[in-house]
Amino acid sequence: MHTQDFSPIIQAITKQGYAISDHFLPTSTIEALKKHAEKLLQGGHMKLAGTGLQANHNAIRGDHIMWLRDDDPSLCVQTYLQKMRALQQALNQQLFFNLHELEAHLAIYPIGTRYAKHLDQFSQGRNALRQISCVLYLNTDWQEAFGGQLRMYLPEGNQLDIFPMGGRLVAFMSSEFIHEVLPASHPRVSLTGWFRQRDSRLI
Ligand code: OGA
Ligand code: MN
């Protein structure tokens, strides 16, 4: 197996705080992850994501999610986790992050649903330890006409729209970028992971 070259991702994060990397994993793995997510949804194993504001929850966020477990026996999940561990190591060694663990969930957005503008890291609570958000798209036949962009709000006031093409990874500093998911005309499948810092209160 050839060595994994994360330098384009590392360089982009250093320069601009985010990176977009196509073909992050082989197409066969992306297809298998997508099928895995669809099966979980059909089997009733995914649940509506919560935002803590249950009353108007659907207006904020309409995706169904399932958190991954480290001991998930599926080959595609293990391939993903292995790749993410390698990325974590590269970020720690080359950018001196102190990334300690990954939390990740599969997500399916039904047609017409969105995730309104938000930040992935809050100063308090469970999400405070999130350092880098990594969204991997699993939509093998996506077209721009379907919509479903990730809209990122950049510091200079510009916005960047990124389409959820299968195999594309978008990584960004969790505390720096407000972003949203726009509605799509087709179900939109993704695998989102967050690298977390060690909880210093526990050491
Ligand atoms: C999230 C999120 C972005 C995307 O799950 O927090 O912002 O493009 N996802 O799916
Ligand atoms: Mn987010």
Side-chain angles (χ1 to χ4, degrees):
M1 196 171 139
H2 66 88
T3 47
Q4 300 175 348
D5 183 13
F6 295 112
S7 50
I9 295 178
I10 303 268
Q11 278 165 26
I13 289 179
T14 307
K15 194 167 148 245
Q16 59 195 16
Y18 68 88
I20 303 168
S21 174
D22 286 340
H23 312 293
F24 183 72
L25 283 169
T27 309
S28 56
T29 305
I30 298 295
E31 281 169 352
L33 284 167
K34 181 173 189 249
K35 283 212 182 87
H36 189 53
E38 286 167 348
K39 243 198 214 149
L40 288 166
L41 184 70
Q42 282 156 16
H45 301 294
M46 288 217 180
K47 53 181 188 181
L48 265 173
T51 59
L53 299 166
Q54 294 303 329
N56 55 356
H57 157 268
N58 281 333
I60 297 171
R61 177 170 191 188
D63 57 331
H64 297 257
I65 64 165
M66 199 197 78
W67 292 98
L68 292 186
R69 292 169 50 119
D70 283 348
D71 62 356
D72 190 308
S74 318
L75 177 64
C76 57
V77 171
Q78 286 307 320
T79 304
Y80 165 78
L81 291 174
Q82 200 173 31
K83 181 89 178 186
M84 294 304 279
R85 278 193 282 269
L87 176 59
Q88 177 180 325
Q89 197 174 33
L91 289 163
N92 283 343
Q93 287 172 356
Q94 294 171 50
L95 292 185
F96 308 104
F97 277 104
N98 185 22
L99 308 174
H100 172 61
E101 60 186 354
L102 178 79
E103 54 175 359
H105 67 50
L106 288 159
I108 300 189
Y109 288 77
I111 293 170
T113 60
R114 60 167 65 233
Y115 192 161
K117 270 188 182 183
H118 67 279
L119 209 53
D120 284 351
Q121 191 210 76
F122 311 102
S123 52
Q124 306 214 319
R126 203 184 129 64
N127 296 339
L129 300 173
R130 288 177 170 179
Q131 298 295 300
I132 303 184
S133 306
C134 298
V135 194
L136 175 66
Y137 297 112
L138 307 178
N139 307 294
T140 37
D141 298 308
W142 201 262
Q143 295 170 25
E144 293 196 355
F146 295 174
Q149 303 93 309
L150 167 64
R151 178 164 289 171
M152 288 181 61
Y153 293 85
L154 305 182
E156 314 83 51
N158 299 328
Q159 58 194 43
L160 176 67
D161 282 357
I162 304 163
F163 286 91
M165 302 306 187
R168 175 172 289 169
L169 180 88
V170 182
F172 56 91
M173 300 295 298
S174 302
S175 63
E176 287 179 23
F177 297 94
I178 292 178
H179 57 281
E180 66 180 313
V181 177
L182 299 184
S185 60
H186 288 64
R188 178 190 190 276
V189 192
S190 60
L191 172 46
T192 303
W194 294 269
F195 286 123
R196 294 158 57 92
Q197 220 172 31
R198 193 185 294 275
D199 191 344
S200 56
R201 289 166 303 187
L202 299 180
I203 38 180

